[in-house]
Amino acid sequence: MADSQLLTDVRALVGREYGRVYAWDDVNAPMIRQWCEIMGIDNPLYTDPAFAANSDQDGLVAPPSMLQVWCMEGFHANHYPPGSTTENPYEVLQLIESYGYPSVVAVNSELTFNRNLRPGEKLYYTTRLDSVGDEKTTGLGTGFFVTLVMQYFVEHKSGDEAVGELLFRVFKFRPAHPQTAPQAPADANAAPVAKRPKPGMSDDTRFFWEGCDAGTLLIQRCTQCQTLRHPPAPVCIECHSFDWDSVQASGRGQLYSFVIMHYPEVAPFDHPNPIGLIELQEGVRMVAGLTGVAREDLRIGQPVQLEFQTFDGELTLPLFRPVAE
């Protein structure tokens, strides 16, 4: 049970708005070009002035998903341009931590775009503590889901214009199984070997990971309307029934979309690290690692086949390998 004083202090912060954080630079073509190069995007609307001038955009625009990038602090943490607020929009996390919830994990983020940005525009964002949920117990531990909303604006002499919004949610928690201090390696000079992080497991997802351990890909199915769903969830998205079982997937599908993780480089993953959104033959989609393929050989729609791989002798994950047409 959460401390009553903690709940009082946290709820007093909900709804608080924090001041402006400015972008270091105006929206500009060199940064757009570098971002597109790193992300593997070759849309001429972002990088070819002649093409963009003859498009319905009447000139270069920035990729919408760069919205968050313009106002980042840079290489050094909390290094913001002059005039930016010195308030800490994450003070609620420090407050929760002071009551014995030391860990944090990002849960999800959602970007909303009002319009495309153009070179020469100057941005800033403000932050609002949108909500702090009731204390919840998950496979990771017990804690609170904290939601912050950043609203992005372009400065105008006639009045600033809202151009987008970022919803950012984290889970601030007390671990279910606190880690003990690691044992010293036999060779004091040997660096510890990084292991693959284990997925969070709950009553809703346990069947899926146990299926992976057994070499089967299981998809949740509503027993009332037969709708398949993934990721697993406690209730059917169609008929709202709580009754479900699972079916074994064929393991065949196609590459619906993909990203290439370049940075940060986190051990023990290989980099660049390709990650795919797989559309299974059964109709559901799932995110999984891609194996046995180079970046330049990936293409949307190519057929893929399930392949289980075991890491660190204990963690079995479903990966997908491209196959011939």
Side-chain angles (χ1 to χ4, degrees), residues 3-303:
D3 187 288
S4 60
Q5 187 60 50
L6 167 61
L7 297 178
T8 299
D9 293 343
V10 163
R11 287 165 181 161
L13 291 176
V14 172
R16 178 173 178 179
E17 296 195 6
Y18 299 82
R20 298 182 180 187
V21 173
Y22 288 97
W24 275 104
D25 302 285
D26 295 353
V27 176
N28 63 87
M31 289 179 66
I32 293 173
R33 177 185 56 78
Q34 292 176 9
W35 188 89
C36 288
E37 181 179 344
I38 291 171
M39 295 298 178
I41 295 174
D42 56 5
N43 188 336
L45 190 61
Y46 307 142
T47 56
D48 186 336
F51 177 92
N54 293 313
S55 71
D56 58 1
Q57 295 295 324
D58 295 323
L60 289 175
V61 295
S65 50
M66 280 190 76
L67 178 65
Q68 185 183 8
V69 174
W70 298 111
C71 293
M72 285 184 170
E73 66 265 48
F75 185 74
H76 300 288
N78 301 317
H79 181 52
Y80 294 106
S84 297
T85 181
T86 58
E87 298 174 306
N88 178 13
Y90 301 101
E91 64 174 324
V92 67
L93 301 184
Q94 294 180 338
L95 174 61
I96 295 173
E97 183 168 336
S98 70
Y99 280 83
Y101 301 81
S103 300
V104 64
V105 61
V107 178
N108 68 293
S109 63
E110 300 173 9
L111 273 172
T112 303
F113 317 107
N114 296 353
R115 68 163 175 83
N116 288 321
L117 300 177
R118 296 184 177 277
E121 294 183 319
K122 183 76 170 182
L123 272 73
Y124 69 86
Y125 71 85
T126 60
T127 303
R128 182 182 77 257
L129 177 56
D130 188 69
S131 66
V132 178
D134 295 331
E135 187 181 54
K136 300 288 185 182
T137 298
T138 73
L140 291 175
T142 299
F144 302 87
F145 287 94
V146 178
T147 303
L148 296 141
V149 175
M150 290 77 165
Q151 291 188 312
Y152 287 79
F153 298 85
V154 166
E155 291 185 309
H156 293 300
K157 291 182 179 179
S158 59
D160 298 345
E161 177 189 6
V163 292
E165 183 178 278
L166 168 65
L167 181 149
F168 181 59
R169 183 175 292 116
V170 299
F171 184 50
K172 188 67 174 167
F173 64 100
R174 181 185 297 122
H177 305 289
Q179 294 182 343
T180 57
Q183 299 296 318
D187 181 355
N189 295 320
V193 177
K195 293 185 176 182
R196 291 253 178 168
K198 294 182 179 180
M201 187 180 298
S202 67
D203 290 341
D204 296 324
T205 63
R206 185 170 288 105
F207 81 95
F208 177 82
W209 296 113
E210 289 177 348
C212 291
D213 288 339
T216 57
L217 185 65
L218 299 179
I219 304 299
Q220 198 175 39
R221 178 179 61 182
C222 174
T223 56
Q224 296 298 314
C225 69
Q226 305 302 303
T227 298
L228 300 180
R229 62 182 185 261
H230 188 86
V235 66
C236 177
I237 58 177
E238 294 294 337
C239 71
H240 303 157
S241 170
F242 287 89
D243 299 325
W244 61 271
D245 60 8
S246 63
V247 295
Q248 182 175 345
S250 66
R252 294 185 293 274
Q254 64 176 358
L255 189 59
Y256 185 84
S257 184
F258 67 90
V259 296
I260 307 295
M261 183 71 176
H262 292 271
Y263 182 83
E265 294 188 1
V266 179
F269 299 97
D270 295 328
H271 291 83
N273 182 20
I275 302 168
L277 178 59
I278 312 301
E279 185 165 71
L280 296 173
Q281 276 189 345
E282 290 74 17
V284 297
R285 297 171 188 160
M286 65 181 299
V287 176
L290 300 173
T291 187
V293 64
R295 160 66 182 88
E296 57 272 16
D297 295 329
L298 288 172
R299 61 177 180 80
I300 302 300
Q302 69 187 134

